[in-house]
Amino acid sequence: AKKQGKNRFYWFEAPMENELRFRNKLESGIRAGIANGEFVPYYEQQIDLETDKLVGFEMLARWESPELGVVGPDIFIPIAEEIGVIGELSEKLIAQAFEDAKQWDHQLTLSVNISPVQMRDPWFAQKVLKLLVKHRFPPHRLDIEITETCLHENIGMVRSMITSLRNQGVHVSLDDFGTGYSSLSQLRSLPFDRLKIDRTFISELRADENNTALVDAIVAMSDGLKLPITAEGIENEAIHEVLKTMGRMKGQGYHYGRPEPAAKVLERLSAQELL
Ligand code: C2E
Ligand code: CA
Ligand code: CA
Ligand code: CA
């Protein structure tokens, strides 16, 4: 639908009926895909920018649909939330990720993303604990990423959720920082372990220009709050170099590698003697 050719009106005037049919197909495809194990974890490297060493991976879900090919989470997560299967889907993915990560060097951490819908489940922390025990995964290797939009929810409930996760030894990060509306006082009152600066701020950085002001400010603030930082969306060497001068932090992005399936991660780790 990007190219505006002769055919564009066909696209816009596609009968509603077709859209509905496609949506229904997606919904039933997602339900069937969960049952058939078509949802799989991919992993993106996380680097310590001080040492340039690999320190862990973020799990990013993919739908390997026999019909549609590899589908990204921006398509299926919102639908899974709407049709009430996000909890089940997420638990399956996390269970698989625990099994994958158990094969890695035990220093390497595993980050997972959690939907705001799951944050509304009063049993969420319990469910995470159950999974950790069932798969014998060390809690301190797990980092749960909560997006800033979760802070619009009942803040008391969010706080007690974070607290019970941390009491189990799990780390909790604030994801997509800077894209929402969290206030400084909210940030100070919630016991996060880490801030992840959203990639929209990182992609603004250029070595040859001087527009580091925004990221500088976030770094200064995180120093003040004593919260370590991860910068996401590092796409090239220049940005990597700029960030290295801004203080101690972790980084991730296409510069280090695309998200890749478990088997590729094992190859990478075996080459680096990190198995
Ligand atoms: P996110 O947590 O902000 O994850 C980073 C996204 O940026 C990923 O997209 C990743 O592939 C992409 N990315 C990484 N490095 C770069 C880069 O250098 N440049 C650019 N342009 N993009 C980069 P992806 O995998 O499509 O995931 C999109 C979002 O879906 C994630 O955003 C996360 O919020 C959500 N998500 C992924 N897996 C899950 C899951 O299992 N559960 C839930 N609830 N959400 C998930
Ligand atoms: Ca994330
Ligand atoms: Ca982000
Ligand atoms: Ca996100």
Side-chain angles (χ1 to χ4, degrees):
K2 263 190 198 153
K3 277 206 183 129
Q4 302 219 330
K6 270 189 223 151
N7 292 332
R8 67 180 149 152
F9 293 111
Y10 288 108
W11 191 84
F12 284 112
E13 286 177 357
M16 273 258 275
E17 212 178 300
N18 277 347
E19 244 168 74
L20 267 178
R21 208 173 290 151
F22 183 62
R23 165 78 196 204
N24 282 336
K25 238 182 100 171
L26 271 180
E27 287 182 9
S28 52
I30 288 170
R31 289 183 203 278
I34 294 175
N36 298 336
E38 291 165 15
F39 289 88
V40 293
Y42 275 43
Y43 299 97
E44 179 171 311
Q45 300 174 66
Q46 296 178 320
I47 307 294
D48 179 341
L49 293 190
E50 201 169 57
T51 60
D52 287 338
K53 287 229 162 70
L54 176 68
V55 288
F57 290 90
E58 176 175 2
M59 189 266 276
L60 295 161
R62 295 288 181 269
W63 178 16
E64 295 183 341
S65 158
E67 224 176 319
L68 303 167
V70 178
V71 181
D74 290 333
I75 306 283
F76 63 78
I77 295 286
I79 302 177
E81 289 173 345
E82 265 181 64
I83 64 178
V85 297
I86 185 69
E88 184 192 352
L89 173 58
S90 180
E91 282 182 43
K92 282 201 167 186
L93 285 162
I94 292 173
Q96 184 58 53
F98 284 168
E99 289 304 318
D100 292 339
K102 268 162 50 176
Q103 301 184 61
W104 310 340
D105 182 289
H106 290 184
Q107 308 276 359
L108 296 170
T109 57
L110 170 71
S111 298
V112 302
N113 294 282
I114 291 306
S115 140
V117 173
Q118 290 170 281
M119 292 293 293
R120 277 181 224 133
D121 175 359
W123 297 105
F124 176 70
Q126 274 301 113
K127 288 174 177 171
V128 171
L129 179 61
K130 238 178 112 180
L131 282 172
L132 285 164
V133 171
K134 180 173 174 202
H135 295 274
R136 298 170 188 276
F137 193 76
H140 68 268
R141 290 184 65 193
L142 179 63
D143 189 333
I144 291 190
E145 299 190 357
I146 296 172
T147 58
E148 218 183 5
T149 45
C150 287
L151 307 186
H152 303 183
E153 315 273 317
N154 180 336
I155 202 80
M157 196 167 150
V158 173
R159 185 182 298 113
S160 65
M161 176 93 64
I162 298 173
T163 304
S164 35
L165 287 168
R166 293 187 78 224
N167 286 342
Q168 297 169 19
V170 173
H171 297 275
V172 184
S173 297
L174 181 58
D175 201 3
D176 293 346
F177 180 70
T179 61
Y181 301 95
S182 52
S183 66
L184 275 178
S185 63
Q186 259 180 343
L187 261 188
R188 224 177 30 188
S189 80
L190 292 168
F192 287 110
D193 292 291
R194 175 172 290 274
L195 284 187
K196 294 194 73 176
I197 311 179
D198 192 67
R199 70 162 185 263
T200 49
F201 300 102
I202 303 305
S203 62
E204 296 292 307
L205 294 176
R206 296 284 181 283
D208 47 333
E209 291 161 32
N210 238 351
N211 48 358
T212 59
L214 208 48
V215 178
D216 271 330
I218 297 176
V219 170
M221 190 203 68
S222 79
D223 278 349
L225 294 168
K226 301 211 163 41
L227 279 174
I229 294 182
T230 300
E232 63 172 36
I234 301 173
E235 290 187 348
N236 55 54
E237 180 66 24
I239 295 177
H240 169 87
E241 289 300 330
V242 174
L243 284 168
K244 273 169 85 82
T245 67
M246 296 177 88
R248 174 150 209 199
M249 62 178 88
K250 292 189 198 175
Q252 54 183 101
Y254 294 167
H255 177 55
Y256 314 103
R258 300 270 168 161
E260 54 196 10
K264 279 274 182 315
V265 170
L266 286 183
E267 283 173 29
R268 176 181 298 285
L269 294 181
S270 132
Q272 299 185 29
E273 293 182 356
L274 280 171
L275 279 184

